[in-house]
Amino acid sequence: MDTISPVYARLILRELERREIDPAPLFVGTALSRDELARGGDIAMADFLRILQAGDRLLGDEHLGFMLGRSTQVFAMGEVGAGMAVAPSVREGLRVLESFNRLHATYIDIRARSTVQGLTVSILYDRDTGYVERFHTETAMMLLQQYIETLAGAPVTDAAYRLATPEPDCMEAYANALHGSVAFGAQVNEMDIPQRCLDLPSPYYHSSLWRQAQMSLSRVLKEQSAIEGTPYTQ
């Protein structure tokens, strides 16, 4: 069964409750209750997609992907985010993300490839997520942006974002949320990260925690692969 961290669903719940909107419709058609979401672990992809769809309807004017992106820090990714946070550089942190992302969301692949200008990160979906794929991508791009800018210590305005969706009416929302150039109608959802950001020494690097994180992630991925009967690869 495909799963994802409960963080994003909890953020939608929090926003509804902050606005004093009844969150009960979030859970219609899911195997979850409010308390189970608040206290439990990873949730089924199918339940999360229903929560996204209901959240989109209930919040109305809110651009859901960017709302989630603004509220999400790298530590939202659990062990994967913890490893990224103590990595020696953006490049090494993104290697952790590429190798271990399925511990965070089993149906999303992150791939990175070197280019002359820097590094291109692709966001790929193993399952059809319907129209809410856009929210996934917007949240992921904002999370990557936040991670890189935190380590770089400044906005990164020479990054480039390409989304595999038609150009929307609300271009201003994208210009406000994403600090680099934005294009639509791409074959793949991708972000280009400039070379200058990749190997800057991270002020948050911790050598022993970095080693521990890599060993722990490798062990957990191996265990998960054994349970799922899938090849163990990093």
Side-chain angles (χ1 to χ4, degrees), residues 61-63 66 134 138 166-177 182 184:
D61 62 335
E62 179 65 60
H63 206 288
F66 292 145
R134 174 169 60 90
E138 291 162 356
E167 183 170 326
D169 296 329
C170 53
M171 278 299 298
E172 184 179 356
Y174 287 85
N176 290 335
V182 183
F184 296 89

Side-chain angles (χ1 to χ4, degrees), residues 25-106:
L26 281 186
F27 304 103
V28 174
T30 76
L32 294 168
S33 67
R34 184 197 179 287
D35 288 345
E36 287 167 337
L37 174 61
R39 298 198 306 264
D42 288 355
I43 62 176
M45 180 192 80
D47 287 346
F48 179 55
L49 296 185
R50 291 190 181 96
I51 288 171
L52 271 180
Q53 292 162 0
D56 184 38
R57 291 193 303 271
L58 292 167
L59 289 169
D61 62 335
E62 179 65 60
H63 206 288
L64 189 57
F66 292 145
M67 184 276 286
L68 291 173
R70 286 193 299 271
S71 303
T72 302
Q73 306 291 324
V74 70
F75 58 75
M77 301 186 71
E79 282 191 281
V80 178
M84 294 172 66
V86 296
S89 65
V90 167
R91 187 189 301 275
E92 293 299 323
L94 292 177
R95 282 177 179 160
V96 166
L97 179 62
E98 181 180 26
S99 296
F100 300 107
N101 180 69
R102 69 188 179 98
L103 296 176
H104 175 67
T106 61

Side-chain angles (χ1 to χ4, degrees), residues 148-170:
I148 295 161
E149 291 184 347
T150 297
L151 269 60
V156 178
T157 58
D158 49 345
Y161 303 85
R162 293 184 293 279
L163 289 88
T165 54
E167 183 170 326
D169 296 329
C170 53

Side-chain angles (χ1 to χ4, degrees), residues 4 6 9 24 42 56 59 69 74 100 119 132-133 155 157 178 191 197 213:
I4 189 169
D42 288 355
D56 184 38
L59 289 169
V74 70
F100 300 107
L119 195 73
V132 297
E133 178 179 307
T157 58
L178 301 174
M191 176 182 181
C197 296

